[in-house]
Amino acid sequence: MQNELKLNFDKIISLNNFSDSQKKIKQENFNNYFEKGLPNKRNEDWKFSDINQIISKNFDNLNFIVDQKKIFEEKDFPLNFEHNKISFVDGKLYDFDFKYEAKDKILVDQNLDLDDTINQNTLLNLNSAFLTSVSKITIKKGYNVKKPLILFNYLSDGLKSSAINSRVDINLEDDSSLCVVSFLNENSEKNFINFRQKIKIGENSILKNYSLDPNTSENIKYLNKDINLSKNSHLEYFILSEGSKFIKQDINCNLDDEYGSISLNGIINLENEKHHEIKTVINHKKENCKSYQLIKSVLNDKSKGIYQGKIFVSPEAQKTDGYQLSRALLLNESVEFNAKPELEIYADDVKCSHGSTSGNIDENSIFYLMSRGLSYSESKKLLTNGFLNEVIEKISNEDVKKLVKKLSGINV
Amino acid sequence: MDSRQKEIDSLKDYKYGFSTDIENTKAPKGLNEDVIKFISNIKKEPQWMLDFRLKAFERFKQLKEPDWQKPKYPKIDYQDLYYYSAPKSMKDKPKSLDDLDPKLLETYKKLGIPLQEQARLNGIAVDAVFDSVSVATTFKEELTKQGIIFCSMSEAIQKHPELVKKYLGSVIPTTDHFFATLNSAVFTDGSFVYIPENVKCPMELSTYFRINASETGQFERTLIIADKGSYVSYLEGCTAPMRDENQLHAANVELIALDDAEIKYSTVQNWYPGDKDGKGGIYNFVTKRGLCKGINSKISWTQVETGSAITWKYPSCILKGDNSVGEFYSIAITNNHQKADTGTKMIHLGKNTKSKIISKGISAGKSDMMYRGLVDISSKADNSRNFTQCDSLLMGNKCGAHTIPYIKNKNLKSNIEHEATTSKISDEQLYYCNQRGLNQEEAVSLIVNGFCKEVLQQLPMEFAVEAQKLVGISLEGSVG
Amino acid sequence: MLSIENLKAKIDEKEILKGLNLDIKPGEVHAIMGPNGSGKSTLSNILSGKKGYEINGKVTFDGENLLELETEERAHKGIFLAFQYPMEIPGVNTNTFLKTSINAIKKARGEKELDAIEFLKLIKEKSAELKFDEKILNRQLNVGFSGGEKKKNEILQMSILNPKLSILDETDSGLDIDALRIVSEGVNSLRNKNNSFLIITHYQRLLDYIKPDFVHVLKNGQIIKSGDFELAKELEKVGYEDFN
């Protein structure tokens, strides 16, 4: 695979008209990846999900050059609310529509501004090496985007064994707000998706970011998000992790200034042999910031769920309030749940705690429901739905909340 | 005058920081097959023991020193250490305490360890390990009557080879990690305990470790076997003199509990932590592992870790027998430049196994404290439970407190619960205590002892009092 | 015994006490009444030495400059504050706390510390006097105590430490009528010609049980009127709003 990869890389360089500095950054990224390869379980961050093994198990060969056929089914999601949209095909910007918004307040743009510093995460190296464009969304100062923005990701029909890299940068200028929902339309065969988002939230701004994975697919996905919060800004993040064969959400939040706050919630709801991981790092850098995380998992069949969450509090970040809770229900004897809730604290005047529970469903509750006439499986369904619904209720956008309930079938 | 004042100042800080001027027999510096043979030879070990050591050494040569731990330390030159040091007068081991070098007795008296049998009032049988050699074991006769074997490891190798052969390395194999394997190759002495079937050991057994010689690594090996239906409570205490260089302490402790047996292992570790600027101190890299081999067996670790420059250890339980129970109670305190990376591993293999982890970490000064733990419930361990509570207390904002639990559950009939908090002593609490007449240090000591109470309660009486004082002393000067 | 002259106090640039004067002689019981935010709790905090205030003025206790002393030194000299919100200290047994406290004070005064037996005897005696359930003393200090239990515990501590000057900061708030009576009896039993009390309260009802010698009205950081028990009755009728 390595030789082919090199050919792929050379090809992408020769096919595109990159500037010299872009070429240089790409080459450095590629070299770092080439030297180190994909992360494996010896890497602490990948202890529970050996991506190297997962990729080699699922793909004999991966194609890094995607010939964009642009033939795809623009499948309608059950969106019965007004929304803005941006569509991407095979990771590249395709179309956008902001008919509900003031025209000059939202900028959608493409460039190839890659980071100068070479990341040590080799998946990000791959991403930078093979990207042909970065999509940029800017919300202008003081503008509150009225309707939710849906990011539709389509893949060309019949696309398979391809590595698709994408990067979207979102910049909320000061005093603005935005609600984003990301989807991947799964009409393709098995591919490796490596998507990255870099987000900056300006002072007094609010971002609601919902990352949904409702549809069953064979795709292997790595979703990396870097989010920086300015003074007095707020991030609401929600994950619905259900459909794909493998997903790792790798979320890094930096509370760069005072009074920032984060509410990060997620559901891992799995069947068959799916393997999903949510990994978060919340970096408290300044005083008086808050972060709250709630992750719930329900595991069926032979599935595997992982939550790795870290709260880091730097010495300046006094008066930090950090909380993290992970709860998992194991519903079959072949499932596995791993958690690593981590606190790393260097300031003394803080309130930080975490909790983690994993175990089986309460048989007494099942018995109670059955005594009221429900079957065993109905009772179980009701209880697990109730368990997960607590997380969905944390979604503050009502339209999105309804959508998530519909997509997940969790409605109690 | 100046140097004297210095001495006084430093003594004030570490009560046990004197060194005893005793002539030592040392193995040549360095680590090689000859040194291992020297150790084995001087202890008149049988061939199988030497083979055990050499096998470990072979393995050791292939191992890399781990570096994933949080506290980093300068590279240790393993060729620049002495691996064997014994007081010269021990060469012909004394037959009774009366034959002991008076200087040694004096040392233990200073430490408050009663070696003389007259001190039987305390009701604790003591095995004292000075540098690498067990120097005295008390109450032997009384224990022998009940069939209990409590002696030095060297003696056990000679007198009870069948037990040692069967169990040594059965929990910590010679192929284990770097430091454990090093210990298997070069261990010098330690304590050996065997409690026969259905015997409840009538008194606390205790080992007192002291590192005296400089440039000496201490590698003891402790092996405790509790046969079916037996019970033993074992205490371990440690001190070392103050020296500018760092000293390595890499002990191995293996516990085996058979059916219905219970072992309670308590440690109060007060090795020299280094001075206020972080110079000197012990590297305490210890491997402690207990195997609940039989059904209904129980192993309980309690530790109070206040000393050492770096503490890096995870007393663990392998819960193999059905219905077996593992417990870990820990207080770890770091001050000045001390660092600790400690916690436990609870490996649930048998059905209906239970484990409980209570960890209290306190960091002050410029120190760094880490709780790292693993709870692993295998797919066969039906109806197993774990409860973990990790609390950290920070004093000042130049120190750090970290919690990394690894939680793995592969069994739907089993539950794992983990809770952790980080907090500080509130000004309001201090004010309340001050208003009742307590000064700042008394108030801190009281509140911290309250914070640690759940763990202190686990210690045997005699140790609990000592530990409570240590908690206060270790934090002196940390609140200003 | 206690003399306060022109006491001014600020916290976070906000002036709370604006020139307060008060004299308490041995054996006297003074009540300070005032609406919320009048500076009542600030006064008790300053007298017991809580940090964080910017203080001007003069406070002497038995002729000594009180403001120069640390909180615990004031306790050693015989000042006791019954807290409005007693702190919870997890893991610390109430008995242990009481013993540590009384012996710290005895030690500072150069008196002989109590051994376990003497201490238990004292506790038994005082608990009986106050009809205080001893069982509570084996629980963690104030942890899980009801509001009434916390306040009773404060009064028990007061009676064990036998202070010269007891300051009761809104001890009556949140108490039912029975608890109120027990608290008052505790205070009354300590009353003698040497011990003085400063009772800070919002309502008159506590004063029905503990008849004060003097009543002062605190408003906007100053004592605006002083009188005898009749003043409390008048206040109750008129209310703070219209009281001038």
Side-chain angles (χ1 to χ4, degrees), chain A residues 107-357:
Chain A
L107 294 181
V108 179
D109 195 13
Q110 276 189 88
N111 59 23
L112 191 54
D113 298 341
L114 300 169
D115 311 356
D116 294 340
T117 50
I118 303 304
N119 205 295
Q120 285 316 301
N121 178 347
T122 52
L123 283 163
L124 296 186
N125 295 145
L126 264 187
N127 186 285
S128 295
F130 287 99
L131 273 184
T132 51
S133 69
V134 175
S135 308
K136 253 197 164 129
I137 304 164
T138 306
I139 310 300
K140 289 294 196 188
K141 189 172 174 0
Y143 187 70
N144 297 309
V145 181
K146 297 186 190 89
K147 305 291 173 192
L149 166 63
I150 316 290
L151 305 182
F152 289 107
N153 280 286
Y154 298 100
L155 299 182
S156 293
D157 284 350
L159 193 69
K160 62 178 177 189
S161 295
S162 293
I164 298 138
N165 294 289
S166 159
R167 184 168 143 192
V168 176
D169 289 2
I170 301 175
N171 183 15
L172 272 76
E173 292 184 355
D174 295 350
D175 308 304
S176 64
S177 67
L178 172 70
C179 169
V180 188
V181 183
S182 321
F183 268 117
L184 186 71
N185 194 356
E186 324 273 358
N187 53 347
S188 63
E189 293 177 43
K190 192 188 281 184
N191 292 294
F192 172 46
I193 312 277
N194 182 353
F195 282 8
R196 186 174 183 196
Q197 282 185 359
K198 279 193 83 168
I199 296 171
K200 189 173 181 305
I201 309 175
E203 277 187 27
N204 311 316
S205 295
I206 300 168
L207 176 69
K208 298 177 182 179
N209 194 333
Y210 306 111
S211 177
L212 311 183
D213 171 52
N215 301 324
T216 300
S217 83
E218 284 295 295
N219 288 322
I220 307 297
K221 294 180 186 164
Y222 175 65
L223 307 178
N224 182 290
K225 323 261 165 146
D226 271 316
I227 304 171
N228 287 72
L229 288 94
S230 311
K231 197 175 196 164
N232 199 34
S233 62
H234 179 75
L235 168 71
E236 175 184 325
Y237 198 98
F238 176 85
I239 300 161
L240 175 68
S241 202
E242 265 188 343
S244 303
K245 185 166 188 187
F246 172 85
I247 290 198
K248 175 159 172 155
Q249 289 249 11
D250 196 341
I251 301 160
N252 300 294
C253 299
N254 293 300
L255 288 154
D256 289 332
D257 211 337
E258 292 180 302
Y259 297 101
S261 58
I262 294 171
S263 161
L264 193 162
N265 307 299
I267 284 175
I268 298 178
N269 187 15
L270 302 182
E271 292 171 332
N272 304 325
E273 289 181 44
K274 287 171 186 171
H275 173 167
H276 286 199
E277 170 167 344
I278 294 175
K279 176 175 170 287
T280 66
V281 176
I282 310 276
N283 229 326
H284 283 260
K285 292 185 170 171
K286 289 281 153 64
E287 286 194 6
N288 289 308
C289 292
K290 274 185 191 174
S291 66
Y292 180 97
Q293 299 177 69
L294 174 65
I295 308 291
K296 286 195 174 185
S297 308
V298 171
L299 305 175
N300 284 288
D301 304 330
K302 291 181 172 176
S303 60
K304 187 171 171 182
I306 295 127
Y307 170 60
Q308 296 197 69
K310 177 169 179 172
I311 301 176
F312 181 95
V313 179
S314 75
E316 301 98 281
Q318 296 290 2
K319 311 264 183 238
T320 287
D321 192 345
Y323 180 74
Q324 141 199 108
L325 178 65
S326 148
R327 300 189 60 192
L329 285 181
L330 281 58
L331 299 183
N332 188 289
E333 56 197 21
S334 303
V335 302
E336 182 175 337
F337 180 74
N338 299 318
K340 189 183 149 202
E342 190 178 337
L343 302 173
E344 181 164 359
I345 294 168
Y346 292 96
D348 61 341
D349 192 5
V350 299
K351 229 170 68 191
C352 280
S353 60
H354 66 213
S356 170
T357 63

Side-chain angles (χ1 to χ4, degrees), chain B residues 45-220:
Chain B
E45 286 177 357
Q47 187 62 36
W48 59 265
M49 198 60 242
L50 178 61
D51 293 344
F52 179 95
R53 292 174 179 279
L54 291 173
K55 201 175 133 205
F57 185 59
E58 272 314 303
R59 168 76 183 168
F60 177 76
K61 285 192 279 188
Q62 297 155 23
L63 289 173
K64 272 211 335 237
E65 197 165 343
D67 65 351
W68 46 263
Q69 82 289 3
K70 174 111 182 147
K72 303 297 178 205
Y73 53 91
K75 227 168 169 39
I76 296 171
D77 183 353
Y78 293 93
Q79 296 305 335
D80 197 33
L81 282 179
Y82 290 107
Y83 288 87
Y84 182 80
S85 164
K88 249 197 186 133
S89 60
M90 297 300 298
K91 234 169 119 184
D92 302 297
K93 201 171 158 61
K95 302 283 172 300
S96 80
L97 284 163
D98 302 334
D99 297 346
L100 265 184
D101 188 330
K103 274 186 189 159
L104 266 180
L105 283 177
E106 188 59 26
T107 303
Y108 280 95
K109 210 172 143 195
K110 274 195 223 172
L111 293 167
I113 314 301
L115 282 189
Q116 261 92 348
E117 304 244 1
Q118 291 96 306
R120 62 183 310 144
L121 265 180
N122 281 14
I124 302 172
V126 179
D127 183 27
V129 176
F130 193 84
D131 286 340
S132 306
V133 206
S134 167
V135 292
T137 310
T138 61
F139 284 111
K140 231 171 189 169
E141 252 172 67
E142 194 163 334
L143 294 169
T144 311
K145 262 188 246 161
Q146 307 220 29
I148 295 168
I149 305 168
F150 178 38
C151 63
S152 71
M153 199 64 196
S154 313
E155 196 181 327
I157 292 169
Q158 304 295 340
K159 293 188 180 157
H160 310 283
E162 68 301 334
L163 283 171
V164 178
K165 236 173 161 172
K166 184 170 175 190
Y167 290 109
L168 189 72
S170 69
V171 190
I172 306 174
T174 50
T175 52
D176 218 88
H177 67 83
F178 186 83
F179 294 105
T181 304
L182 176 62
N183 177 290
S184 290
V186 303
F187 76 84
T188 36
D189 215 334
S191 299
F192 176 85
V193 176
Y194 172 78
I195 314 289
E197 268 185 52
N198 298 320
V199 170
K200 309 270 179 246
C201 185
M203 61 183 82
E204 313 276 350
L205 302 184
S206 171
T207 298
Y208 211 87
F209 294 105
R210 175 162 177 84
I211 299 180
N212 198 56
S214 61
E215 294 175 78
T216 308
Q218 183 156 352
F219 305 93
E220 332 84 38

Side-chain angles (χ1 to χ4, degrees), chain B residues 426 428-429 431-440 442 446-451 453, chain C residues 45 48 50 71-72 75-76 79-81 83 88 90-92 97 101 104 142 154 157:
Chain B
S426 78
E428 298 291 328
Q429 283 177 330
Y431 170 52
Y432 188 71
C433 293
N434 292 155
Q435 212 298 307
R436 295 297 184 266
L438 278 65
N439 67 30
Q440 206 73 347
E442 288 165 336
L446 184 86
I447 294 168
V448 170
N449 268 301
F451 174 77
K453 190 171 187 182
Chain C
N45 284 337
S48 61
K50 190 173 184 186
T71 303
E72 67 268 24
H76 301 158
I79 290 184
F80 180 89
L81 170 64
F83 281 62
E88 297 185 1
V92 175
F97 178 74
S101 163
N142 290 327
E154 292 291 287
Q157 291 180 39

Side-chain angles (χ1 to χ4, degrees), chain B residues 221-286:
Chain B
R221 184 109 190 178
T222 297
L223 177 59
I224 300 177
I225 304 144
D227 213 324
K228 290 175 184 166
S230 68
Y231 168 84
V232 61
S233 168
Y234 183 89
L235 318 174
E236 173 198 75
C238 332
T239 63
M242 296 183 291
R243 297 190 187 281
D244 283 348
E245 84 264 25
N246 295 105
Q247 284 168 290
L248 176 66
H249 175 246
N252 280 6
V253 176
E254 291 176 280
L255 312 183
I256 296 123
L258 301 180
D259 292 357
D260 303 299
E262 179 178 350
I263 302 174
K264 198 170 155 59
Y265 193 106
S266 315
T267 306
V268 173
Q269 184 264 111
N270 187 27
W271 294 118
Y272 178 52
D275 67 8
K276 281 205 160 59
D277 304 313
K279 201 171 176 204
I282 302 288
Y283 291 159
N284 187 32
F285 302 165
V286 175

